[in-house]
Amino acid sequence: MSRLVVVSNRVGPVRETAKAGGLAVAIVDALRTDGGVWFGWSGDISPEGTHGPVKREEAGRISLLTIDIDQAAYDTHYAGFCNRTLWPIFHYRLDLAHFDRELERGYWNVNNRFATRLFPLLEDDDVIWVHDYHFLALGSKLRTMGANQPIGFFLHIPFPVPEVFTALPNHEALARAMLAYDVVGFQTRRDANAFIRFFVEEYGAQVTEDGLLTVQGRTIKVGAFPIGIDTDTFRQFSLSPEANRQGKRLKTLPGDRCYVIGVDRIDYTKGLVERFRAFSKLLENYPENRNHVSLIQVAPTSRDELDAYIEIRQELEQITGNVNGRFSDLDWTPIRLTTRPLRRRSLAGLYRACRVGLVTPVRDGMNLVAKEYVAAQSEVDPGVLVLSRFAGAAESLDAAIIVNPYDVEDTAEGIQRAVIMPLDERRDRWRQLFSKVQGEDIEAWYSNFLGALRATARKAA
Ligand code: ADP
Ligand code: F6P
């Protein structure tokens, strides 16, 4: 079997860890099976940047190969074009997007530099899999250097409809660069269709029913490859002694408590402000929940050098203070907000101990927390998932209570339905959800994607 080379901005950590972020968790699972190389940023900023040595670390059958970047590259690429331009646009937040030619140049530069450093490390029969919006253009640079291995690309975040994508200055260059890949994968059918529609409307592309897109002399495979979790392992985590201990910590709190849990990086896409308002509305509209229902929000900070992230954190702390000030009692706190990272077993234990899983992003590629919450539930007495219609996960997890996160009344009502849902209905919904989470698990994700990618190699041979 040909060697798999994975490329992503963040590399590792490989071992069970408190790292927040869906991409790292998914890639480790994918690489662990057959082994391979994982290439990307070391996480370090140094004066020599991408010109410095390739750092090597072996973790079982996975070789981690990383390079540094310099401060200017960090500012224009990761903290610049990636997270100030592409991230907001791809999440439909044109109002937050910065358009700046210098950031754009930095982005192309870093893509070119990473491709240049990767190229000599490649072997002829490698299969290369590039991940996420940090490296949309890396494949095209590899091609100009002469790489003719199969190269696939998977976008972990949403792909916006053409009406939004075309607001990005020079979007044509980025889109054309993506044609260098043999397979371009998205989280949902909706995202794949948005990408296809862009090429059909702007370039007159031809597309077949099985997703072969022909445009500008290239034919590439475009499809939805919904990412999943390692369902069985995560379920085992939820039964571990560590998970049990975590669950018991909640039970030792006074009173007859019902817990609602949210787990998200602090990010404006996660709908946290709207969620806290909805929880406040729940206590207002359904007063029987006071002194009874608490929201536990686990929210590790992320990208905290960016203004939009600092502001959202402050806003959350303020709303938490307001809601707690307004409703709390001597022995009851409505919202508990913690920014601490947790080990995965502890997280699984928390999910299992909470009656409601609240996953209400205003836009999200997939959202693995929704799947983890389902996987961790007890079959006998399962909790209820309340899920935003704007999470990619809603495309398959339609047995959840689906809410519109912009509508605080609707979300409050959704939480209320979950809190009072009879056991039979909880079991019935959970069975449907669990079977979807099991069917679309991490293995299905990477084997479907790599199957499609390897098939392109066979065709070319
Ligand atoms: P994103 O990739 O945008 O961060 P996802 O929901 O797809 O969102 O993935 C988040 C991942 O990070 C999940 O696997 C979740 O368990 C993990 N995670 C989030 N918060 C924490 C935390 N505080 N401690 C440990 N893991 C976390
Ligand atoms: O899933 C989207 C994503 O940007 C991943 O690429 C990343 O690992 C995760 O969210 C966390 O973001 P960051 O790497 O910027 O901390």
Side-chain angles (χ1 to χ4, degrees):
M1 171 95 75
S2 48
R3 184 177 72 153
L4 174 61
V5 177
V6 169
V7 184
S8 66
N9 183 56
R10 298 240 180 226
V11 174
V14 171
R15 277 169 203 52
E16 205 267 301
T17 174
K19 173 83 186 89
L23 182 141
V25 175
I27 291 179
V28 172
D29 281 338
L31 272 171
R32 214 173 249 147
T33 319
D34 299 325
V37 171
W38 191 356
F39 176 79
W41 177 37
S42 62
D44 294 328
I45 297 174
S46 67
E48 47 195 351
T50 56
H51 295 275
V54 175
K55 299 173 175 170
R56 287 170 187 269
E57 196 189 320
E58 301 299 323
R61 302 167 67 200
I62 309 177
S63 303
L64 308 177
L65 305 183
T66 57
I67 55 175
D68 294 353
I69 54 176
D70 63 24
Q71 189 64 51
Y74 179 83
D75 293 343
T76 53
H77 176 258
Y78 176 77
F81 198 72
C82 291
N83 286 322
R84 278 186 218 268
T85 310
L86 292 178
W87 180 271
I89 293 182
F90 281 34
H91 288 88
Y92 291 77
R93 290 297 303 268
L94 286 174
D95 58 317
L96 293 178
H98 285 61
F99 300 118
D100 181 332
R101 289 285 189 259
E102 203 188 321
L103 302 187
E104 189 190 336
R105 270 193 296 278
Y107 181 83
W108 282 87
N109 243 334
V110 168
N111 272 252
N112 290 344
R113 287 295 308 147
F114 273 71
T116 307
R117 297 304 307 274
L118 174 62
F119 185 66
L121 306 171
L122 295 175
E123 293 169 7
D124 285 349
D125 63 350
D126 281 346
V127 167
I128 305 157
W129 190 4
V130 181
H131 290 258
D132 232 356
Y133 59 106
H134 313 91
F135 289 129
L136 293 167
L138 189 140
S140 84
K141 178 68 180 176
L142 284 178
R143 292 288 184 225
T144 59
M145 285 186 298
N148 50 23
Q149 295 90 338
I151 314 180
F153 175 83
F154 183 78
L155 186 68
H156 289 252
I157 66 174
F159 190 82
V161 291
E163 290 77 2
V164 173
F165 180 60
T166 49
L168 174 69
N170 285 333
H171 59 271
E172 303 90 341
L174 267 188
R176 279 199 308 267
M178 290 175 76
L179 296 175
Y181 295 111
D182 297 299
V183 178
V184 176
F186 297 93
Q187 298 278 24
T188 63
R189 203 53 262 158
R190 188 192 298 221
D191 295 331
N193 286 344
F195 182 78
I196 289 171
R197 188 154 73 79
F198 168 79
F199 278 105
V200 169
E201 288 173 8
E202 303 284 325
Y203 292 91
Q206 305 290 311
V207 60
T208 63
E209 249 173 41
D210 53 352
L212 288 179
L213 181 84
T214 302
V215 63
Q216 302 215 315
R218 287 275 301 154
T219 295
I220 66 169
K221 163 100 181 150
V222 178
F225 299 88
I227 201 166
I229 60 167
D230 180 346
T231 312
D232 296 335
T233 304
F234 202 80
R235 195 157 174 73
Q236 286 308 316
F237 284 171
S238 75
L239 301 170
S240 65
E242 185 177 330
N244 248 316
R245 274 196 300 279
Q246 191 71 21
K248 276 196 188 123
R249 283 180 68 191
L250 294 188
K251 293 209 178 86
T252 56
L253 298 174
D256 167 27
R257 299 288 186 246
C258 169
Y259 293 104
V260 175
I261 187 158
V263 176
D264 314 73
R265 283 181 302 106
I266 295 190
D267 192 303
Y268 51 82
T269 60
K270 300 291 181 183
L272 291 164
V273 170
E274 294 79 356
R275 183 183 308 172
F276 283 18
R277 291 209 177 104
F279 190 74
S280 178
K281 189 58 79 185
L282 172 88
L283 300 176
E284 202 178 297
N285 290 1
Y286 307 94
E288 65 274 25
N289 292 316
R290 298 181 197 168
N291 280 302
H292 174 51
V293 179
S294 293
L295 170 63
I296 297 178
Q297 180 65 53
V298 180
T301 55
S302 106
R303 305 177 192 164
D304 43 17
E305 67 274 56
L306 304 184
D307 292 347
Y309 288 75
I310 299 168
E311 281 160 24
I312 192 100
R313 186 176 176 182
Q314 287 165 346
E315 206 176 340
L316 280 181
E317 284 166 357
Q318 198 179 31
I319 301 184
T320 306
N322 290 347
V323 176
N324 287 349
R326 184 168 164 208
F327 293 105
S328 63
D329 209 331
L330 283 179
D331 63 350
W332 174 68
T333 307
I335 301 181
R336 289 165 199 270
L337 174 64
T338 166
T339 56
R340 279 184 45 195
L342 288 164
R343 287 168 48 83
R344 300 192 63 65
R345 285 175 179 77
S346 293
L347 194 58
L350 262 188
Y351 289 139
R352 196 177 173 92
C354 292
R355 169 57 62 83
V356 183
L358 199 48
V359 179
T360 55
V362 286
R363 195 65 67 171
D364 210 336
M366 173 55 63
N367 198 292
L368 292 181
V369 168
K371 299 191 172 187
E372 291 168 357
Y373 178 77
V374 170
Q377 294 310 299
S378 134
E379 203 173 336
V380 184
D381 186 18
V384 182
L385 178 66
V386 175
L387 181 61
S388 159
R389 57 179 296 161
F390 301 116
E395 206 163 83
S396 70
L397 300 186
D398 51 359
I401 294 185
I402 303 293
V403 295
N404 172 3
Y406 292 102
D407 182 347
V408 292
E409 297 274 352
D410 182 50
T411 309
E413 195 192 315
I415 304 170
Q416 174 66 3
R417 280 179 62 200
V419 166
I420 61 172
M421 189 176 283
L423 182 59
D424 280 355
E425 186 179 348
R426 282 195 274 129
R427 282 186 184 154
D428 184 43
R429 283 178 184 263
W430 178 79
R431 269 194 292 269
Q432 295 178 52
L433 292 172
F434 187 65
S435 115
K436 294 278 180 65
V437 171
Q438 255 187 331
E440 284 186 357
D441 69 353
I442 191 75
E443 197 189 329
W445 172 68
Y446 64 75
S447 44
N448 288 339
F449 188 96
L450 290 173
L453 187 56
R454 290 201 159 105
T456 65
R458 279 196 296 278
K459 264 188 213 129

